[in-house]
Amino acid sequence: MSAEEEENAAELKIPDEFLKAKCLMNCEVSLILEHKYEQLQQMADDPMNQMSQVFEKSLQYVKRFSRYKNPDAVRQVREILSRYQLAEFELCVLGNLCPETVEEAIAMVPSIKVHSLSRLQLFMFLRGKGNEPPDFITRGRAHDDEAIEKMLNDLSLIKKFE
Amino acid sequence: MLLLWHQRKMYLKSNLSWNVLIPAESLDAGGLMLQKAIITRLMADFAAKKATKDLGYFLALSTVGKIGEGKVRKQSGDVIFPVDFSCITFKVLPGEILEGVVHKILKPGVFLRCGPVETIFLSHQKMDDYQFVPGENPYFMNGKSSKIEKGVVLRFLVIGEKFIEIEKDFRVVGSLEGDYLGPVS
């Protein structure tokens, strides 16, 4: 990491990925709220006044329920999960609950199974009409058990090396 | 295109535009002092807002964008500035699986809290085969000796939620019926 990047990490400039994302995981929100808390302490005359009950309770909650604490690990989690072409919501639930098995992942986010089925159906419909299937289908979200298992393995590796 | 179902979110990042009122007294200093006054005011308004039905609980401002031209209110001399900003809110949605902390045990069921949501109710009927054990510190127990008492973290399914306008607060109803739900060690 260059000196400039290190400085940015210390200041916690909001990374591009957060700006683009519409839905955030507990660990991401934890980094943001902790940073806000530090800002408030430096800035305000009476920091407790500026802090709403909502902020306080949320900060407590996300700090407790973040599976990943290290900012680099947090970035890696989003990066890895983003490779699997999940919906924002699915990505967040998986990042939050960190299921250990494929069965648990499907129980937490049933839609990861449904996605592959509806895409297959659309593909067959389009095939039947004599059209070339759209690119995104042939690129394919292989959400069969093997793919889900690999994804979970990748996530647990981040935890090991955090 | 293929996302035909309602996109469900928990922590939501939104772009909003609010009108911030700056009283006449604060308008003496210009430039950066004024900008600071506007942002401070926005933060106070934001904290006071607490929650809305659509976006949920208002957690924190992320970034402040464009501050538009101020309009003077003739009577008072106060000025209203439109401010663009992005913020983080928290909303609980039906079908979502969350983790919460038990804070109250009663015979009909259990109350959980999860972040800013204080009132999440888990009915005894939705607690699989957990039975109520009365006493000074009551708890629920199931056939496999799994205990649900104050302070326990539960993974639960959200069945429904309702926004109470006058309190600016959500009431949530949950269930433990499902695989991998229940106490989390």
Side-chain angles (χ1 to χ4, degrees):
Chain A
M1 218 202 256
S2 73
E4 198 193 84
E5 283 173 319
E6 263 184 273
E7 210 186 291
N8 284 344
E11 282 181 68
L12 196 79
K13 293 258 160 43
I14 299 185
D16 277 340
E17 310 89 72
F18 289 16
L19 290 174
K20 283 186 228 145
K22 293 200 213 77
C23 184
L24 302 170
M25 299 181 278
N26 287 348
C27 50
E28 290 169 322
V29 177
S30 182
L31 291 179
I32 294 175
L33 293 188
E34 275 178 46
H35 182 60
K36 288 277 151 197
Y37 181 69
E38 280 159 22
Q39 269 185 335
L40 276 175
Q41 291 195 306
Q42 283 171 6
M43 193 182 91
D45 314 310
D46 182 11
M48 292 316 282
N49 230 3
Q50 299 274 355
M51 232 189 304
S52 64
Q53 281 252 312
V54 170
F55 181 91
E56 234 182 300
K57 289 187 190 146
S58 307
L59 177 58
Q60 259 176 37
Y61 179 80
V62 291
K63 268 172 93 157
R64 182 173 176 181
F65 289 98
S66 291
R67 298 302 174 114
Y68 305 89
K69 310 274 181 198
N70 179 306
D72 284 325
V74 172
R75 271 188 274 268
Q76 273 182 49
V77 172
R78 182 164 282 266
E79 203 243 317
I80 285 184
L81 289 176
S82 300
R83 292 185 209 154
Y84 291 88
Q85 296 170 316
L86 300 156
E88 287 264 359
F89 166 76
E90 295 169 331
L91 188 154
C92 287
V93 176
L94 289 172
N96 283 341
L97 300 177
C98 292
E100 287 172 2
T101 63
V102 173
E103 290 76 34
E104 194 181 349
I106 295 173
M108 297 297 99
V109 192
S111 47
I112 46 180
K113 270 279 175 181
V114 175
H115 276 189
S116 34
L117 186 59
S118 42
R119 281 180 185 262
L120 184 62
Q121 285 175 337
L122 183 60
F123 170 76
M124 298 187 71
F125 167 80
L126 290 171
R127 245 313 172 51
K129 289 211 158 182
N131 294 328
E132 272 313 287
D135 218 27
F136 65 83
I137 290 196
T138 45
R139 249 189 288 136
R141 289 166 53 164
H143 282 173
D144 58 349
D145 289 4
E146 266 176 48
I148 299 175
E149 182 146 8
K150 172 153 199 318
M151 174 175 66
L152 298 180
N153 281 338
D154 289 345
L155 279 183
S156 68
L157 276 176
I158 301 179
K159 188 78 196 150
K160 273 206 186 94
F161 293 107
E162 209 192 358
Chain B
M1 200 195 352
L2 276 176
L3 295 170
L4 299 170
W5 53 87
H6 176 56
Q7 254 209 325
R8 298 166 291 176
K9 295 172 173 74
M10 190 156 72
Y11 288 103
L12 176 75
K13 193 136 69 31
S14 308
N15 294 322
L16 301 174
S17 186
W18 282 1
N19 289 325
V20 171
L21 185 121
I22 302 295
E25 308 90 68
S26 311
L27 289 165
D28 283 343
L32 266 124
M33 286 301 285
L34 178 60
Q35 196 181 53
K36 184 167 184 232
I38 293 173
I39 293 178
T40 307
R41 184 81 227 188
L42 176 66
M43 285 172 74
D45 289 351
F46 188 87
K49 187 89 177 177
K50 194 178 171 195
T52 61
K53 182 163 189 264
D54 296 322
L55 294 174
Y57 293 89
F58 283 62
L59 257 56
L61 290 168
S62 306
T63 51
V64 177
K66 196 178 87 169
I67 299 176
E69 256 183 58
K71 281 209 176 84
V72 183
R73 275 179 145 192
K74 300 262 164 59
Q75 292 270 1
S76 53
D78 302 334
V79 182
I80 300 187
F81 293 90
V83 184
D84 292 339
F85 63 97
S86 68
C87 64
I88 301 178
T89 65
F90 175 84
K91 191 164 184 202
V92 167
L93 287 132
E96 186 170 11
I97 293 182
L98 288 174
E99 292 178 333
V101 183
V102 177
H103 70 90
K104 200 184 214 152
I105 307 265
L106 296 173
K107 191 148 179 264
V110 150
F111 281 92
L112 303 165
R113 56 166 73 100
C114 168
V117 190
E118 283 283 307
T119 318
I120 301 170
F121 181 62
L122 208 54
S123 158
H124 177 204
Q125 293 165 334
K126 294 282 179 194
M127 283 169 69
D128 242 355
D129 82 317
Y130 282 89
Q131 297 303 321
F132 180 71
V133 178
E136 207 184 294
N137 294 316
Y139 57 90
F140 279 83
M141 180 98 106
N142 76 355
K144 297 181 198 129
S145 302
S146 165
K147 200 175 182 188
I148 294 179
E149 56 186 342
K150 258 164 93 160
V152 164
V153 173
L154 289 182
R155 200 187 259 184
F156 64 98
L157 170 70
V158 177
I159 305 180
E161 46 98 42
K162 186 176 173 172
F163 185 61
I164 311 292
E165 190 72 54
I166 36 167
E167 290 174 21
K168 289 192 277 189
D169 213 355
F170 282 86
R171 299 270 180 278
V172 174
V173 172
S175 162
L176 288 187
E177 287 174 345
D179 293 328
Y180 300 99
L181 298 180
V184 171
S185 48

